[in-house]
Structures are given as structure tokens and as C-alpha cells.
């Protein structure tokens, strides 16, 4: 059975301080990528659980004068996901329009001009739209 903990991570000088509030424990890591493992190891030692049975969420609350780093990272990830979704929709629409225009006899160079892509990319869009 897996147990879940939250580790609150802050930057102190050259170290990442990793606090596990549920256990009132503290450890440190040289690199942020080590914080989860360090937390899991402290939890395992404190609770006699196997490492693979411990799930840790890392909450980066403060780095220097920057507060709520985890919230800002989450916000950036949401923006990136929305951008990727918009890019995917734009690609679908570009393929569709490029194919429709080609079917109407519009030259590939003009399709590229309309879609603000190169002649080669317009050709690819048409091929993908028909494929």
C-alpha cells in the first residue's frame, strides 16, 4: 500500500532544503532533481516503509525572494498545454484548408503564401491532408 507525503522545498544558499511536515523531518539535496529521492529516503527511515511504497509531491514554496514557485510552474505548464492544443488545432485547420485550396486549383506557392509557410511546407500539408 502506497502512502503519500508532501515535501516542502526551499533554496538555502547552495542547498535545497527538503522538509516533510507530516513527520517534522528535514533533509537537504544538492540538486532539485534529488529532492524527491531524499524525501522518500527520510520517510522510509522514519516509517519503515519501502521506497517504492512512498509517493512524494514536491512543493517548491520559496527560492530566494520568489514565493509560490510551484504555483508559477503549474501556471506555465497550463499555458504550454493550451499552446500545444492551439498548435494542434491550427495544424488540423491548415491541412484542411491547404487541401481544399489545392482541390480548387490554387497553386502550392500561393497556398504557402496564404498560410504563411514555405512552398515545401504547403506541399507537405496537402500531402498530409490527403494521406
Amino acid at each position: 500500500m502506497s502512502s503519500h507525503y508532501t515535501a516542502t522545498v526551499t533554496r538555502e544558499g547552495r542547498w535545497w532544503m527538503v522538509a516533510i511536515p507530516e513527520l517534522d523531518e528535514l533533509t537537504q539535496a544538492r540538486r532539485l532533481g534529488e529532492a524527491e529521492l531524499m524525501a522518500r529516503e527520510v520517510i522510509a527511515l522514519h516509517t519503515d516503509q519501502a521506497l517504492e511504497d512512498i509517493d512524494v509531491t514536491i512543493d517548491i514554496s520559496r527560492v530566494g525572494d520568489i514565493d509560490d514557485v510551484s504555483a508559477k510552474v503549474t501556471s506555465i505548464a497550463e499555458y504550454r498545454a493550451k499552446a500545444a492544443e492551439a498548435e494542434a488545432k491550427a495544424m488540423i485547420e491548415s491541412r484542411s484548408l491547404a487541401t481544399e485550396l489545392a482541390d480548387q486549383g490554387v497553386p502550392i506557392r500561393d497556398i504557402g503564401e496564404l498560410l504563411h509557410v514555405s512552398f515545401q511546407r504547403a506541399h507537405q500539408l496537402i500531402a498530409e491532408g490527403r494521406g
Side-chain angles (χ1 to χ4, degrees):
M1 183 168 105
S2 181
S3 58
H4 182 79
Y5 293 85
T6 298
T8 303
V9 178
T10 57
R11 182 74 178 180
E12 307 260 340
R14 297 177 64 181
W15 294 92
W16 292 98
M17 303 308 293
V18 183
I20 300 98
E22 295 99 329
L23 303 176
D24 196 27
E25 290 289 334
L26 181 68
T27 187
Q28 60 189 20
R30 176 71 71 189
R31 302 272 176 249
L32 182 58
E34 300 168 347
E36 181 183 354
L37 177 60
M38 298 303 292
R40 290 174 61 221
E41 287 178 349
V42 167
I43 295 165
L45 286 171
H46 193 57
T47 63
D48 279 340
Q49 295 181 64
L51 281 176
E52 58 271 7
D53 293 336
I54 301 169
D55 181 38
V56 175
T57 297
I58 298 294
D59 177 29
I60 305 170
S61 59
R62 182 177 45 84
V63 176
D65 295 335
I66 306 168
D67 290 326
D68 293 328
V69 174
S70 285
K72 291 174 182 175
V73 169
T74 298
S75 178
I76 291 166
E78 290 170 358
Y79 289 136
R80 286 183 175 152
K82 288 178 185 175
E85 182 180 334
E87 180 64 27
K89 287 180 183 178
M91 188 57 58
I92 290 168
E93 292 294 321
S94 294
R95 283 185 196 118
S96 176
L97 182 57
T99 304
E100 290 176 30
L101 290 169
D103 289 346
Q104 295 298 310
V106 177
I108 295 175
R109 290 197 187 282
D110 291 341
I111 293 171
E113 186 73 26
L114 282 167
L115 296 176
H116 303 285
V117 298
S118 68
F119 166 81
Q120 293 86 351
R121 184 65 186 131
H123 188 271
Q124 288 173 341
L125 289 170
I126 294 165
E128 290 168 2
R130 291 183 175 152

